[in-house]
Amino acid sequence: MAKWTPKHEAPEPLEGPVVGTITGGTIVWFVLFLVQLPFYAWFDEHGHTWWLWTCLAGGGLGLLGIWYVRRRAAALRRAAAERARTTPAP
């Protein structure tokens, strides 16, 4: 079997409003959890309580994601500032 070689260069990763996207998704997960919470008895009767816990887990993981992407964004800003400071002006 021949070794696979790429036919073209990989594209640059997309950078966008990552912190806002993750924050928005986290809010959606928590809202879905809160909207379903009053219907807990119905979910329990029909064996669908995992829907609630999935939303709660999504919100919790979203909080972890917010922490991660905020630290990443701060690190990228620090690296850019360091690069700008050490690069000589033309």
Side-chain angles (χ1 to χ4, degrees):
M1 179 179 239
K3 182 177 177 182
W4 179 81
T5 56
K7 296 179 181 166
H8 52 80
E9 292 287 324
E12 290 294 318
L14 296 175
E15 292 294 333
V18 179
V19 176
T21 302
I22 300 299
T23 303
T26 301
I27 291 169
V28 168
W29 279 115
F30 278 126
V31 167
L32 287 172
F33 173 74
L34 292 174
V35 166
Q36 293 178 9
L37 197 56
F39 304 101
Y40 183 84
W42 184 89
F43 286 119
D44 193 32
E45 289 173 10
H46 293 87
H48 295 303
T49 54
W50 65 271
W51 290 8
L52 282 103
W53 308 128
T54 300
C55 293
L56 187 60
L61 289 172
L63 291 175
L64 181 64
I66 291 169
W67 172 79
Y68 179 81
V69 297
R70 289 186 70 194
R71 286 184 50 108
R72 178 182 179 271
L76 290 173
R77 281 193 301 272
R78 281 192 309 271
E82 181 66 26
R83 230 181 356 261
R85 191 179 60 116
T86 59
T87 304

